[in-house]
Amino acid sequence: MTYYAYFRPLPPSDRNPAEHLRRRTPGVFRGMAAHWPAVSTWTLAYIASLDPSPLVRLVRGNRENTPTAFTWSELGTYLHHLSEPPRADDELLYLKEFDLLRQFPALRDDLKDIPFLPRGTVTSSSVWIGPARARTGLHQDLLDNCAVQIAGRKRFLLTPPGTVERAGALSTKYDAWARLSRVGIEELAVGRGAGTGDEDFYFVELEPGDVLYVPARWWHEVVNLDASILLSGFFGSRSHVARLWTQVRLRDTLHRSRLLKEGDCTCHPARR
Ligand SMILES: [Zn+2]
């Protein structure tokens, strides 16, 4: 299937970023982070050279709509594997939500401000490092997200809040800070008659230095076009994050006590 028959390109934003935040519409800002030292210096080999020894947890396959499974690797071994030419039969292993800046605090100096984050914003950032074809299944995050493409290219497919809900495709699978869809966005687009103007489906391909704003609750599915590094920051006002945090922590305490959605989540291996 050719996704672009059903998806419209998200045009580079010509608006003030603050307007996207106010209207809660996604915006792509080409080259906004191109001057960051991270974009010119962070490569797979460079990160591996800092310290190859930490053990990292890798997600196997697409955990949003297949049973969750993990494996462990030394960081250097994994990054070295990613920097080799991919083979068609490689298992897709994905380093997600990795707290790179806690692992290597000196790397903070390679980041600059994102001009559109409002004052008083609370952020938490982490990186996604994975091979070409690795995918994050269709989901919506509970917080606004600002994604900075550092290396390689990535395709985002997006649809507004409500599309998955109207299709009756919400997943029961548990995730602390996101809600998941049972079906992929391409299947959804075909089923909802995308392209007829009834529903909105968008795509955008990020190059190194590009910045994408994804409003909370916008559904999105993401696929790597190359081995790639993405820095992603969730943000919100102090009061909003505090309110959400209370709800998320309550559910998560139940989940971790095995009282809610045990064995059907993105954070623990699925029962076999
Ligand atoms: Zn879990």
Side-chain angles (χ1 to χ4, degrees), residues 174-175 252 255-256 260-269:
Y174 172 80
D175 185 291
D252 211 51
H255 176 63
R256 288 176 193 280
L260 177 76
K261 307 274 177 78
E262 187 196 358
D264 183 25
C265 64
T266 55
C267 44
H268 296 88

Side-chain angles (χ1 to χ4, degrees), residues 19 23 30 107 153 176 182 215 226 228 248-249:
E19 220 171 300
R23 296 173 181 222
R30 298 289 183 192
L107 292 182
R153 295 168 308 138
R182 269 191 289 110
D226 308 308
S228 84
V248 166
R249 199 176 46 182

Side-chain angles (χ1 to χ4, degrees), residues 64-65 138-139 164 169-171 179-184 188 219:
E64 283 70 27
N65 58 12
L138 185 58
H139 69 284
V164 171
L170 280 172
S171 168
R179 299 293 177 263
L180 314 179
S181 165
R182 269 191 289 110
V183 300
L188 191 69
W219 292 96

Side-chain angles (χ1 to χ4, degrees), residues 82-129:
L82 285 192
S83 59
E84 291 178 334
R87 294 200 326 236
D89 60 344
D90 278 346
E91 185 186 20
L92 296 176
L93 301 175
Y94 207 155
L95 177 55
K96 292 186 158 183
E97 295 152 346
F98 177 52
D99 199 343
L100 183 73
L101 300 176
R102 192 171 62 180
Q103 190 77 50
F104 304 117
L107 292 182
R108 278 178 200 281
D109 295 342
D110 297 339
L111 311 180
K112 301 290 167 208
D113 280 347
I114 292 285
F116 64 70
L117 296 186
R119 214 181 271 270
T121 290
V122 184
T123 56
S124 91
S125 66
S126 47
V127 303
W128 271 245
I129 302 178

Side-chain angles (χ1 to χ4, degrees), residues 103-215:
Q103 190 77 50
F104 304 117
L107 292 182
R108 278 178 200 281
D109 295 342
D110 297 339
L111 311 180
K112 301 290 167 208
D113 280 347
I114 292 285
F116 64 70
L117 296 186
R119 214 181 271 270
T121 290
V122 184
T123 56
S124 91
S125 66
S126 47
V127 303
W128 271 245
I129 302 178
R133 296 189 295 116
R135 191 173 279 271
T136 297
L138 185 58
H139 69 284
Q140 57 175 199
D141 296 303
L142 303 184
L143 283 172
D144 280 357
N145 183 239
C146 168
V148 182
Q149 190 69 23
I150 302 288
R153 295 168 308 138
K154 224 173 173 74
R155 179 187 301 141
F156 279 71
L157 300 167
L158 304 122
T159 189
T163 311
V164 171
E165 295 88 333
R166 282 191 295 275
L170 280 172
S171 168
T172 59
K173 194 169 187 172
Y174 172 80
D175 185 291
W177 285 96
R179 299 293 177 263
L180 314 179
S181 165
R182 269 191 289 110
V183 300
I185 193 167
E186 294 175 59
E187 188 184 330
L188 191 69
V190 174
R192 301 300 287 179
T196 61
D198 293 344
E199 304 254 14
D200 294 327
F201 290 86
Y202 301 94
F203 78 93
V204 62
E205 294 181 354
L206 299 188
E207 307 266 347
D210 291 344
V211 175
L212 177 67
Y213 165 59
V214 182

